Amino acid sequence: MSQQNNQSSYKKLLNNTLVFAVGSFSSKVLVLLLIPIYTSYLSKSELGVTDVLTQIANWIIPLATMTISEAIIRFGLDKAYDKRKVFTLGNLVCAFGMAVFAVILPIVNFTGLADKYIGGYAMLLFCYVFMSGVKTLYTTFVRAMEKVKLFAAAGIIATVFTLFFTAMFYMVLPDDFLGSGTGIQKYLLSTILADLITTLFVTFAAKLWRYIDFKELDRELLQTMLQYSVPLIPAQLLWLITNSSDSFMTTHYLGSESNGVLAAAYKIPNIVATVYMMFGQAWNMSAITENDSDNRDRFYENVFDFNQSLLYILAGGCMLIIQPLTNIMIGADFRECVRYSPLLIYSTIYSCFTTFMGSIYLASKKTKRSLFTSLVSGIINVGLNVILIPTIGLYGPPISTVASYVTVFAIRAFDSRKLVPFKIDLKKMAVSNVLLIAMLAILLKETHLMQKPLLYLLLFVLFCAVFIINMQSISELFFKFLPESIARRIATLGKIRLTAAAVVLMVFVVLNVLLKCIPLYLLLIAGVLFGLYRDDKRIYMVCHLLFALLLGILTGWRMFFAGMAGISIFPLVKYKSGGCILFTVIALDVFLSVGINPWLGIFAFLLELIALIVIFRNIIIEIASDYVKHGRVGSKKRK
């Protein structure tokens, strides 16, 4: 019986991870799509200012909300507490904190205490903090209700509308529709509006007003929740100091342009953090629900082993493609950031390890321990930044970040295992870190690896070693997730075949990076032709859409519509059906409108309309005559 419960724990963790992955994947696609927009329409200085404003908002949110969302997920998942009371008190605490912030911010603004950082953005900063805090509160309660699919849907909604408003403000509407020099305002406003729509969506989808009742407030529960959440305020602030002191101190010592380069350097390393977040959100729920289970220690051990293997592979993969990916995504103006990104990628590993260990404190309600370890992180990060930034410039923040995260992980690994005594595979950790540091050394020594293929080959070999060492832990845990019949089939392939398949896949990925995705283009076109040959419309449609999306992401959205129109010719030639003709014509018209000139698309549509009228003139005349005689269409058929 315990074995079945243990198995269900892994499957629940997997299911939640997959659902969170759907929502988080959309946000990662959003980041990829927004990077070219921001680097094209914002200067280095403006990008640095937006980064500082975002960091300020992230500092204020824990204070204004009193980190009550952490108490909502902890007590909302606990069946011993009434969800209605938990959510009501969460709203009350959040409203009180926002009211205090609304009083303090105008005072700070009028006195000019923070003009260097806030400038004329106080009102937008308040709206940004308010909507972000409320959205977090409401989406966290949805997680506490275990409606993880709705939570993922909210992530997709936020992504879609952030992209919509960003594209609208920067690319569609006139540059001065908010006034001249308002690029920063557009940045903030697009996020505010997306958060507002997401909050409304979650509220109505989950009917959250049913969980608010201010008539009978549980004072004892309020005190319990605040005792849990208040120690997390300085803990979160100290983590934010670790994360954002880099931005402030870089701006202070080196200026906004250098901070813009550092902000760009964080974009690709954040891929690792975002992928982990998919797992981390699900793990946080499992850590709480499994805290009292009989197999808790073994469960933690297996999950952490999977966790560290996944992070080593992700970080190694990002290091492998960081230089060509920077050229594609970020552009020449910010090419300098490739010097610092590898260190930030490495720091992300220990940031995620630290978050994993922090889940033990949250599940065990030992939030004061989280405060102490966060204090250590903040002291190390700020202290090293003061020493290193004036001395070695932009290398200072990444090095201080690595040092602070590694130190805090070591402290938490020792301390948290007093609460949950699970084992850590130190041998694998040591070997994997040595290989990753070797990759890091190559990237720091040579910033133009594409011009030195032998050195890049050595980097690839090191990554393969990281992958092979860590693949077994990932596959073993996946076998616990998968149905037994599927797990057996995979197991019959053997480690050698699985490793060979994984290496082939990695080679394919590297070739795509080196050859600008030409192999992937060819594979998708082959998929389109294979789908047509086998008359399998699912294969054809998936490959068709992926081809067009890839074309759009890498070369511009006008090429997305060009790809849709171009590949639609294949089924048109084969099937010669009305639906295929209609699809091709619509795709072509949209391409003409979006990619060349709107009036050209309208002109083409009118020509097609005239052609349809000429071709079907007899039918049109017959229908019109029938309507004039009988006052309705199709009367003869009904008789």
Side-chain angles (χ1 to χ4, degrees):
M1 186 69 172
S2 62
Q3 186 176 359
Q4 290 179 351
N5 291 335
N6 191 32
Q7 194 77 1
S8 66
S9 300
Y10 291 109
K11 289 186 177 180
K12 186 175 181 180
L13 177 59
L14 174 65
N15 291 335
N16 288 343
T17 300
L18 292 176
V19 173
F20 289 135
V22 172
S24 299
F25 176 76
S26 62
S27 65
K28 182 45 57 186
V29 172
L30 172 70
V31 172
L32 296 177
L33 296 176
L34 291 182
I35 288 173
I37 297 176
Y38 292 149
T39 53
S40 298
Y41 289 91
L42 295 173
S43 66
K44 289 182 181 179
S45 178
E46 287 176 324
L47 193 62
V49 172
T50 58
D51 184 60
V52 168
L53 286 170
T54 304
Q55 298 292 353
I56 290 172
N58 290 339
W59 282 29
I60 295 171
I61 289 169
L63 290 168
T65 63
M66 300 187 192
T67 60
I68 198 66
S69 59
E70 296 292 341
I72 281 181
I73 188 67
R74 178 62 185 85
F75 293 94
L77 282 171
D78 196 327
K79 295 180 180 179
Y81 297 94
D82 185 351
K83 285 182 170 57
R84 188 188 302 271
K85 293 180 179 180
V86 169
F87 187 55
T88 300
L89 294 172
N91 276 275
L92 185 66
V93 171
C94 187
F96 174 78
M98 291 296 176
V100 173
F101 176 50
V103 172
I104 294 174
L105 184 60
I107 298 172
V108 173
N109 191 42
F110 290 142
T111 55
L113 294 174
D115 277 352
K116 182 177 180 181
Y117 299 110
I118 296 177
Y121 309 107
M123 181 58 69
L124 280 174
L125 181 64
F126 175 79
C127 294
Y128 186 99
V129 170
F130 178 81
M131 285 315 311
S132 180
V134 173
K135 187 197 81 169
T136 302
L137 178 71
Y138 281 42
T139 53
T140 301
F141 184 66
V142 167
R143 282 177 60 201
M145 297 168 69
E146 298 193 63
K147 294 186 176 183
V148 291
K149 292 181 180 178
L150 180 56
F151 176 82
I156 296 172
I157 294 290
T159 297
V160 169
F161 279 98
T162 303
L163 178 59
F164 171 78
F165 287 118
T166 301
M168 181 69 67
F169 293 159
Y170 286 110
M171 303 171 68
V172 177
L173 295 174
D175 291 340
D176 58 350
F177 84 99
L178 286 178
S180 59
T182 54
I184 297 169
Q185 287 89 335
K186 295 173 185 176
Y187 177 95
L188 296 172
L189 193 58
S190 60
T191 305
I192 292 167
L193 293 173
D195 285 349
L196 173 61
I197 292 172
T198 305
T199 304
L200 292 173
F201 165 75
V202 169
T203 301
F204 285 99
K207 299 178 180 179
L208 294 182
W209 59 85
R210 296 181 176 180
Y211 293 87
I212 299 177
D213 184 6
F214 293 111
K215 293 179 181 179
E216 296 182 6
L217 298 177
D218 190 333
R219 295 177 182 273
E220 185 178 347
L221 177 58
L222 175 61
Q223 184 178 359
T224 303
M225 290 175 65
L226 289 175
Q227 286 175 346
Y228 179 89
S229 67
V230 168
L232 292 174
I233 297 175
Q236 282 202 11
L237 289 176
L238 288 166
W239 275 117
L240 288 168
I241 288 173
T242 302
N243 293 329
S244 60
S245 65
D246 295 350
S247 297
F248 286 96
M249 300 185 80
T250 299
T251 301
H252 176 74
Y253 286 111
L254 305 176
S256 293
E257 286 199 8
S258 294
N259 187 49
V261 173
L262 185 65
Y266 267 104
K267 298 298 182 184
I268 295 174
N270 283 341
I271 294 174
V272 179
T274 303
V275 172
Y276 177 80
M277 184 179 68
M278 306 172 191
F279 167 80
Q281 289 172 329
W283 165 246
N284 196 21
M285 294 177 66
S286 292
I288 293 170
T289 56
E290 297 294 323
N291 190 52
D292 297 322
S293 67
D294 296 334
N295 298 307
R296 182 194 62 179
D297 295 353
R298 182 64 177 171
F299 179 66
Y300 273 60
E301 179 182 331
N302 289 335
V303 174
F304 180 79
D305 193 44
F306 169 83
N307 178 58
Q308 71 164 329
S309 294
L310 178 64
L311 284 169
Y312 294 144
I313 291 172
L314 283 174
C318 280
M319 287 185 188
L320 183 65
I321 63 174
I322 184 67
Q323 291 190 12
L325 198 60
T326 299
N327 295 335
I328 295 170
M329 288 175 49
I330 297 179
D333 291 343
F334 292 85
R335 179 63 171 72
E336 183 188 353
C337 73
V338 80
R339 299 175 181 274
Y340 320 109
S341 296
L343 280 165
L344 294 171
I345 291 171
Y346 186 72
S347 73
T348 305
I349 297 173
Y350 285 93
S351 169
C352 296
F353 283 174
T354 303
T355 302
F356 182 96
M357 296 299 176
S359 297
I360 298 174
Y361 295 143
L362 296 178
S364 305
K365 300 181 183 178
K366 304 293 184 181
T367 51
K368 291 180 181 179
R369 296 194 185 189
S370 180
L371 170 60
F372 168 73
T373 53
S374 301
L375 178 62
V376 173
S377 173
I379 292 172
I380 292 173
N381 189 267
V382 173
L384 286 177
N385 273 334
V386 171
I387 297 169
L388 295 178
I389 294 178
T391 307
I392 58 176
L394 274 178
Y395 282 106
I399 292 173
S400 64
T401 301
V402 170
S404 62
Y405 281 137
V406 170
T407 303
V408 174
F409 166 69
I411 295 171
R412 284 193 174 185
F414 175 78
D415 181 57
S416 63
R417 286 191 298 154
K418 294 177 182 177
L419 302 172
V420 181
F422 66 94
K423 296 180 181 178
I424 295 177
D425 190 342
L426 296 175
K427 182 179 179 181
K428 181 168 68 175
M429 181 177 286
V431 174
S432 297
N433 274 274
V434 167
L435 293 170
L436 288 171
I437 290 171
M439 294 180 70
L440 187 62
I442 293 171
L443 290 167
L444 293 176
K445 183 178 185 304
E446 181 55 61
T447 57
H448 291 86
L449 276 176
M450 297 300 99
Q451 299 173 7
K452 297 189 176 180
L454 289 178
L455 205 55
Y456 193 82
L457 179 62
L458 175 60
L459 193 73
F460 178 71
V461 170
L462 289 170
F463 171 68
C464 287
V466 172
F467 186 89
I468 291 169
I469 289 170
N470 291 280
M471 187 190 70
Q472 184 175 355
S473 296
I474 293 177
S475 62
E476 284 178 356
L477 197 62
F478 268 128
F479 288 163
K480 295 180 182 294
F481 294 146
L482 294 172
E484 187 176 350
S485 58
I486 298 176
R488 284 178 181 173
R489 290 181 183 179
I490 296 176
T492 56
L493 294 175
K495 294 181 182 178
I496 296 176
R497 291 182 181 178
L498 285 173
T499 303
V503 170
V504 169
L505 179 61
M506 288 187 290
V507 170
F508 181 74
V509 171
V510 172
L511 286 174
N512 277 283
V513 172
L514 295 175
L515 301 176
K516 298 181 178 180
C517 291
I518 290 176
L520 184 56
Y521 281 127
L522 295 175
L523 179 65
L524 292 174
I525 291 174
V528 169
L529 297 174
F530 178 75
L532 291 172
Y533 173 74
R534 294 292 300 269
D535 205 14
D536 191 326
K537 292 184 179 180
R538 288 178 299 178
I539 295 176
Y540 161 74
M541 290 301 296
V542 169
C543 293
H544 184 177
L545 182 60
L546 289 176
F547 176 86
L549 280 172
L550 182 65
L551 202 62
I553 291 171
L554 296 181
T555 60
W557 286 108
R558 67 180 62 185
M559 296 306 295
F560 167 77
F561 297 107
M564 293 292 286
I567 294 191
S568 65
I569 294 172
F570 291 129
L572 178 62
V573 172
K574 179 174 180 178
Y575 298 117
K576 301 182 179 67
S577 65
C580 293
I581 296 172
L582 182 63
F583 181 82
T584 303
V585 169
I586 291 174
L588 184 60
D589 287 349
V590 174
F591 168 67
L592 293 174
S593 298
V594 175
I596 301 177
N597 189 293
W599 291 108
L600 184 58
I602 295 171
F603 179 72
F605 172 74
L606 292 175
L607 285 180
E608 292 154 7
L609 187 61
I610 292 170
L612 287 173
I613 292 172
V614 171
I615 294 171
F616 298 105
R617 61 187 182 277
N618 293 331
I619 297 174
I620 294 171
I621 292 170
E622 183 180 347
I623 292 173
S625 300
D626 191 46
Y627 183 79
V628 170
K629 290 179 181 178
H630 305 283
R632 56 182 181 269
V633 178
S635 58
K636 290 182 180 179
K637 290 183 180 179
R638 281 192 291 271
K639 286 180 180 179

